[in-house]
Amino acid sequence: MNILVIEDEPKVARAIKEGLESEQYRVSVAATGEEGYYMATTQTFDIILLDLMLPGRSGIEILESLRRQGILTPVLILTARDAVEDRVLGLDAGADDYVVKPFAFPELLARIRALTRRGRPDQALRLRLADLEMDRVTRKVERGGQKIDLTAKEFELLEYFLLNARQVVSREMLARDVWKAVDRATPLDNVIDVHVTRLRQKVDVPFKVKLLKTIRGMGFVMKEGNV
Ligand code: CA
């Protein structure tokens, strides 16, 4: 597993490199955005850890350039605790996830594992439950052969339910993983419920068999048959 770390603070870069190498990862470090961009476009990595505050080209600019080039390597951004806007910008620019500095190393490892699992070539490009089907490449959703138009957020929400099919999905999970909520100071429960309702209007209401169920006090489950 090859990891590119784009981080200009030598101490942080060294700590990450040593920690990851002790977990048997192969690690390359770039100390500037330019160098990182060059390496990311000329070599193949399984994941890129990207600091946002870099001299010269910022992490956001690098990320946008990579995505424009069609380089879809998972990107985990490293961000400062108070830089909430940066996190949002980073996710909008195509980052897959973020960790807040200073982070606990096990958290970094867990996020790397999650992203590289997700990025494996054998990962399902098509998700299916009963007669509901999602193509994650073309981003098309059909049920019983009938095309369903979803907003970007509804698509993400449905994708998350399908990836976690037959398991209970709590509002906390949705806030963290779909809304990327940085903290829960402003509860998202109402926002989540509104989106779930809209999604249900599209994928369930017009059809006889209901797939998305509410489990009182716990959250939701997407499955065939009864809860
Ligand atoms: Ca920095």
Side-chain angles (χ1 to χ4, degrees), residues 22-77:
S22 72
E23 299 288 327
Q24 315 305 321
Y25 290 107
R26 285 174 54 192
V27 182
S28 306
V29 174
T32 66
E34 284 300 339
E35 188 189 356
Y37 180 73
Y38 177 76
M39 289 167 80
T41 49
T42 53
Q43 300 173 43
T44 304
F45 295 96
D46 297 290
I47 184 167
I48 298 169
L49 308 192
L50 177 65
D51 180 31
L52 290 185
M53 298 284 282
L54 293 165
R57 281 178 97 182
S58 77
I60 299 282
E61 288 174 303
I62 289 158
L63 180 56
E64 285 174 343
S65 306
L66 290 175
R67 294 302 188 236
R68 265 201 307 274
Q69 296 272 316
I71 294 169
L72 300 175
T73 310
V75 169
L76 178 63
I77 53 184

Side-chain angles (χ1 to χ4, degrees), residues 7-9 51 53:
E7 166 65 77
D8 62 310
E9 286 161 71
D51 180 31
M53 298 284 282

Side-chain angles (χ1 to χ4, degrees), residues 1-3 25 45-48 72-76 96-97 106-125 127 136 160 163-164 167 176-177:
M1 182 86 67
N2 268 324
I3 301 183
Y25 290 107
F45 295 96
D46 297 290
I47 184 167
I48 298 169
L72 300 175
T73 310
V75 169
L76 178 63
D96 297 270
D97 200 1
E107 186 194 353
L108 180 67
L109 289 176
R111 295 197 177 274
I112 289 172
R113 275 196 301 271
L115 285 179
T116 50
R117 252 200 315 273
R118 223 192 282 170
R120 276 206 321 240
D122 62 350
Q123 171 214 39
L125 298 178
L127 301 173
R136 297 166 83 194
Y160 194 78
L163 286 168
N164 294 283
Q167 297 169 44
R176 185 191 63 213
D177 295 331

Side-chain angles (χ1 to χ4, degrees), residues 118-184:
R118 223 192 282 170
R120 276 206 321 240
D122 62 350
Q123 171 214 39
L125 298 178
R126 231 173 241 286
L127 301 173
R128 191 193 299 262
L129 182 69
D131 57 349
L132 176 64
E133 192 179 317
M134 166 180 282
D135 186 326
R136 297 166 83 194
V137 178
T138 61
R139 297 180 73 82
K140 285 196 178 122
V141 175
E142 287 185 357
R143 187 157 181 197
Q146 196 175 316
K147 190 171 176 291
I148 298 174
D149 286 315
L150 299 180
T151 64
K153 190 51 95 185
E154 289 163 352
F155 184 94
E156 276 185 64
L157 188 57
L158 179 60
E159 184 177 42
Y160 194 78
F161 281 128
L162 288 170
L163 286 168
N164 294 283
R166 300 172 199 89
Q167 297 169 44
V168 175
V169 171
S170 67
R171 290 179 179 82
E172 282 77 9
M173 289 164 73
L174 294 172
R176 185 191 63 213
D177 295 331
V178 179
W179 270 266
K180 313 284 186 201
V182 172
D183 58 52
R184 302 221 65 212

